[in-house]
Amino acid sequence: MEKNDSIKKKPRNKFIPLLALAVVMLWLKTYYIQKTQFKLDVEGSLQEFLLFINPLGSAILILSISLLFKKKRKYYALLAIYFAASFMTYANAVYYRFFSDFITLPTLFQTQNFGDLGGSVLTLIQPTDFLFFADVLLIGVIVFSKRFEKSTHTFKKRAVVPVMTAALAISFFNLALAEGDRSDLLTRGFDRTYIVKYLGLYNYAVYDAVETVKSSSQRVLADSDSVTEILNYTKSNYASPNEQYFGAAEGMNVIYLHLESIQTFLMDYELNGEEVTPFLNSLTRDPETLYFDRFYHQTAQGKTSDAEFMLENSLFGLPKGSAFITKGQNTYQAAPAILKDKGYTSAVFHGNNATFWNRSEIYKAFGYDYFFDIDSYKADSPNDMAEYGVMDKPFLEQSEVLLESLPEPFYTKFITVTHHFPYKIAPELTTIDKATTGDASVDNYFQTARYADEAIEQFFTYLEESGLADNTMVVMYGDHYGISDNHNRAMSELLGKEITPVENTKLQRVPLFIHAPGLKGGVDHTYGAQIDLLPTVLHLLGEDTQKYVQFGTDLLSPEHEELVVLRNGEIASPEVYSIGDVFYDPETGEPIDDSKLELAEKLKEIGNYELELSDQVVNGDLLRFYTPTGFEEVDPSDYNYQIKPPLPVYEAETDAPVTAK
Ligand code: GP9
Ligand code: MN
């Protein structure tokens, strides 16, 4: 009897059931919103499962913070947290309706986004939106209702630990499964959509906050003095233009074709006696095409985005992650902005989501006028879609009319995707057999390469027929390897030679073609790399580069130093390769003899110094302290990629545009 009495006297704790109810409601609501309000491209049961469980760990974690509040305050804390989480989710849903993207902290503070949203925010809100808050109302009613007896019990801090530990355990389990499906998810970033799909909106918000703080702290520590050392270096490294080529493409349009995963070993390679890339091969012998056969990619984790970053800025990508993702708010002096002064209109064409690699943000910082993403393309059949967007043939074909909507001269970039790992292609689209090494990645590599080659040929034919070819310079580069060194056994079988360390480095070569009417072409054996593209292209367009902070040099300049610095600090040059801790002779593939050691060490030191200085520029956002004379600084808020130029109108008979451009 006495015992029972004492139980009755204990404060009745109704908080835990309320907390549990809140967790379940927030979890299920967030899941429902993630599933219905965003385009997350969830594929397969594992991804479905992850989408379902990913709000759970966070819901427990954030709502259980209320347990730390004393007495009745925990009820109000619970309501406040619940409301904040709901508001954040709702804000993302509204933002997504307009931008097809998730809110990031830096963009939140960009006035332009509110400018864009400002007038239209009311049109984005739908009458049914109150449902987003129906559950908040329910919790509010329970919390404030007099009929509901609130417990005055204060939980010991210790008691909260197991709850939070359980929440973290669920989140880590979630992360482990996600990493299994998509490795390097957090280190490389890829796309905000991926983070939300795999880890949920709340974890995405944490990820975004951590990245923002990391990035801005590096930025805060930098000061304007640091620019001096950089400028001293880039000025001393400058290579003056080759008179024969300077201005050879002056006033011409520029078309960059970003060749996904195309490697130099493919050029003139025959699989079972058949050329894999006959069109590109023919260009290596074209009198108006310069073909560089010792040109290297320098990408790291940022892959495609690293390649783009280098060619637009002549700055190295970062050793970890992607500068596109973490440095999207920096100040740049990129090609589109440099060429604006010469009257160029700039645009990117890419049949994938605009947010992939944070392109829709960083392109603004580069000064790109237009960005045609997947929304500008259609896929008529499933065969028109590759894993990362529209297949190259329909992509390039549909790009033609978009290209013609631009005023000339234009500076453009077309990013292909079909020849992307794992090189999937419908059998009816293939025109060459697979290889037969037994290593699937290697075997499939050739069919999509052939397809890409055909797509490029088709595009060249269009350029000829439309007349654009008469006034356009086309630059084509492989972005990075497609076959990593995990596949060297199969590669050795296909190439008929042992893949020594030097051969392995040589496999990091990607082709570079520069084609323009009247250009003196030929095969150029100069050692060079992606970092050198910008000064090379600018000099061909007749633009001097001396005043810019660029780490590459003009490949055509007699002063160009033949030193390739790979992103991991290894080097390749006609004299020496450094791989791991060993220096090799490029000809024999053997370690060098002592007579070359001093030179080798010096080259490696220069390489590492360059990487270090470039990283300082990117991490410290140093270009904000230096504006070259005559260069107009980019204001990203001037750009809005929802706006497209008007399409040309064609006369039915002649197919020629009738509207003035
Ligand atoms: C994605 C495409 C592929 O839009 O550019 O990027 P990658 O995986 O090659 O870095
Ligand atoms: Mn790529």
Side-chain angles (χ1 to χ4, degrees), residues 139-333:
I139 306 256
V141 168
I142 299 175
V143 166
F144 286 107
S145 154
K146 293 261 171 335
R147 286 168 51 200
F148 179 78
E149 189 194 335
K150 288 194 255 311
S151 139
T152 51
H153 175 76
T154 298
F155 289 92
K156 295 221 169 58
K157 297 234 159 50
R158 274 203 324 263
V160 183
V161 175
V163 184
M164 294 207 170
T165 313
L168 288 174
I170 295 172
S171 292
F172 277 113
F173 171 66
N174 178 175
L175 180 63
L177 284 181
E179 283 278 338
D181 198 51
R182 165 70 57 169
S183 52
D184 301 329
L185 182 64
L186 290 182
T187 42
R188 296 178 62 194
F190 301 109
D191 189 343
R192 284 182 275 285
T193 311
Y194 285 29
I195 310 271
V196 174
K197 171 165 78 174
Y198 284 109
L199 305 179
L201 265 177
Y202 303 117
N203 287 319
Y204 159 72
V206 174
Y207 165 83
D208 177 52
V210 171
E211 287 301 324
T212 309
V213 169
K214 264 202 322 215
S215 180
S216 46
S217 54
Q218 285 168 326
R219 193 175 180 273
V220 165
L221 293 174
D223 62 42
S224 51
D225 294 345
S226 5
V227 175
T228 317
E229 188 187 355
I230 310 283
L231 283 172
N232 284 342
Y233 181 77
T234 53
K235 287 220 156 71
S236 69
N237 192 38
Y238 168 76
S240 55
N242 179 333
E243 278 175 27
Q244 198 190 349
Y245 284 102
F246 186 77
E250 183 141 22
M252 287 190 198
N253 299 313
V254 180
I255 291 182
Y256 261 109
L257 276 174
H258 175 111
L259 308 180
E260 178 60 45
S261 300
I262 297 277
Q263 291 172 246
T264 301
F265 87 85
L266 273 173
M267 300 303 107
D268 282 333
Y269 179 76
E270 290 186 5
L271 183 68
N272 307 320
E274 207 186 327
E275 285 179 273
V276 181
T277 53
F279 181 67
L280 289 178
N281 297 349
S282 74
L283 282 182
T284 66
R285 290 176 276 278
D286 179 79
E288 292 185 324
T289 301
L290 279 163
Y291 166 58
F292 292 84
D293 65 350
R294 292 181 186 164
F295 183 80
Y296 285 78
H297 86 81
Q298 294 160 298
T299 66
Q301 290 184 324
K303 301 299 280 290
T304 289
S305 67
D306 282 351
E308 287 189 58
F309 191 77
M310 281 182 275
L311 79 92
E312 305 290 13
N313 299 291
S314 196
L315 294 170
F316 287 96
L318 292 174
K320 270 203 196 114
S322 161
F324 260 45
I325 305 247
T326 56
K327 305 295 168 189
Q329 311 299 320
N330 276 11
T331 297
Y332 293 103
Q333 285 133 23

Side-chain angles (χ1 to χ4, degrees), residues 182 188 190 194 258 260-261 301-306 308 350-353 356-357 359 388-389 415-417 420-421 479-480:
R182 165 70 57 169
R188 296 178 62 194
F190 301 109
Y194 285 29
H258 175 111
E260 178 60 45
S261 300
Q301 290 184 324
K303 301 299 280 290
T304 289
S305 67
D306 282 351
E308 287 189 58
H350 184 43
N352 193 9
N353 296 337
F356 203 97
W357 288 132
R359 287 182 172 107
Y388 289 95
I415 306 169
T416 64
V417 295
H420 190 290
F421 177 81
D479 65 344
H480 47 72

